[in-house]
Amino acid sequence: SAVISQKPSRDICQRGTSLTIQCQVDSQVTMMFWYRQQPGQSLTLIATANQGSEATYESGFVIDKFPISRPNLTFSTLTVSNMSPEDSSIYLCSVGPTQETQYFGPGTRLLVL
Amino acid sequence: SQQGEEDPQALSIQEGENATMNCSYKTSINNLQWYRQNSGRGLVHLILIRSNEREKHSGRLRVTLDTSKKSSSLLITASRAADTASYFCATRRWGSSNTGKLIFGQGTTLQVKP
């Protein structure tokens, strides 16, 4: 299994500001994913982050709003830009070390005022 | 976009009873997985069933998959208060991009009363 840590675990931010969330994995993985979970809702895939190439965004998510970096096989960042209260969610990093198994980090709870 | 739906949305049972949750999906899949989430925290992987499997067991968990009906069920036997959580099904489908995205259902909130 893969052990995933996220920083920060939670934050309260003012609208109009940006927050960068870090995801660190204890082993090298090819695929990393970022999900959003709005209050009381299920998880929605934001993008797939692959090392050495640009992230692939899902419908409804754009790079200007959610820029992603993937500098190596154990680390990725997701930035939530120009935040509004609608961005208040839990953001989860996930990795797929195999073609079947997928593991999730503890999540970052974001509240935008 | 969400792959499918789960029912019930909420389930409340007494400790010791069995809990059954259902999941339906829309497209062909490679596998279906069930996850548990406690109080908005990270997800814990419970069990995976492949598209060519019909039933799988893991401890008190039993998962079935009916690809003809595009549905799956998760049975938790002899439930405990610690099973109180949200349960999500997620389907994986390998596309032309070979990224194998995991798409989640809406989830079932289970409450087990002591």
Side-chain angles (χ1 to χ4, degrees):
Chain A
S1 65
V3 178
I4 306 168
S5 60
Q6 286 185 232
K7 290 181 180 179
S9 59
R10 59 177 63 226
D11 208 340
I12 301 174
C13 301
Q14 297 297 319
R15 70 171 66 209
T17 63
S18 298
L19 176 71
T20 295
I21 302 168
Q22 299 178 7
C23 176
Q24 181 74 53
V25 190
D26 68 342
S27 58
Q28 293 185 340
V29 292
T30 303
M31 294 182 292
M32 295 183 78
F33 307 89
W34 286 98
Y35 285 82
R36 181 178 73 181
Q37 186 177 27
Q38 295 176 302
Q41 302 295 314
S42 183
L43 282 75
T44 301
L45 181 63
I46 298 172
T48 302
N50 295 310
Q51 195 263 339
S53 62
E54 282 200 1
T56 303
Y57 289 83
E58 296 299 304
S59 176
F61 297 96
V62 295
I63 188 171
D64 289 345
K65 176 67 175 176
F66 298 100
I68 288 171
S69 77
R70 181 80 197 275
N72 56 53
L73 291 175
T74 64
F75 187 78
S76 177
T77 67
L78 169 75
T79 298
V80 186
S81 303
N82 188 25
M83 290 183 285
S84 67
E86 291 71 34
D87 294 318
S88 297
S89 297
I90 300 173
Y91 291 86
L92 297 111
C93 170
S94 178
V95 301
T98 72
Q99 289 190 352
E100 292 186 330
T101 317
Q102 192 158 331
Y103 300 101
F104 286 79
T108 295
R109 284 181 175 272
L110 172 62
L111 176 63
V112 183
L113 302 177
Chain B
S1 61
Q2 299 304 317
Q3 167 70 296
E5 299 180 357
E6 292 179 59
D7 76 272
Q9 289 188 334
L11 181 61
S12 182
I13 59 175
Q14 293 294 134
E15 205 165 28
E17 294 180 339
N18 295 341
T20 299
M21 290 160 266
N22 302 298
C23 166
S24 62
Y25 56 92
K26 299 174 183 174
T27 65
S28 60
I29 61 173
N30 295 94
N31 64 59
L32 185 145
Q33 306 179 37
W34 285 89
Y35 288 83
R36 184 184 72 220
Q37 185 180 39
N38 291 85
S39 301
R41 299 180 64 83
L43 272 72
V44 175
H45 183 267
L46 295 177
I47 194 167
L48 177 151
I49 186 165
R50 298 182 181 87
S51 60
N52 61 353
E53 297 175 314
R54 292 297 168 258
E55 186 172 312
K56 206 161 185 180
H57 297 256
S58 176
R60 294 185 295 114
L61 305 180
R62 172 178 170 255
V63 170
T64 63
L65 179 64
D66 187 335
T67 53
S68 66
K69 296 181 179 178
K70 291 186 169 56
S71 67
S72 174
S73 68
L74 171 67
L75 168 67
I76 304 174
T77 60
S79 63
R80 307 166 181 168
D83 294 328
T84 295
S86 293
Y87 292 82
F88 295 93
C89 70
T91 54
R92 184 181 296 279
R93 180 184 180 207
W94 288 96
S96 57
S97 62
N98 209 32
T99 57
K101 295 180 290 187
L102 199 61
I103 306 299
F104 283 80
Q106 295 300 316
T108 294
T109 300
L110 172 65
Q111 181 185 29
V112 182
K113 300 175 184 177

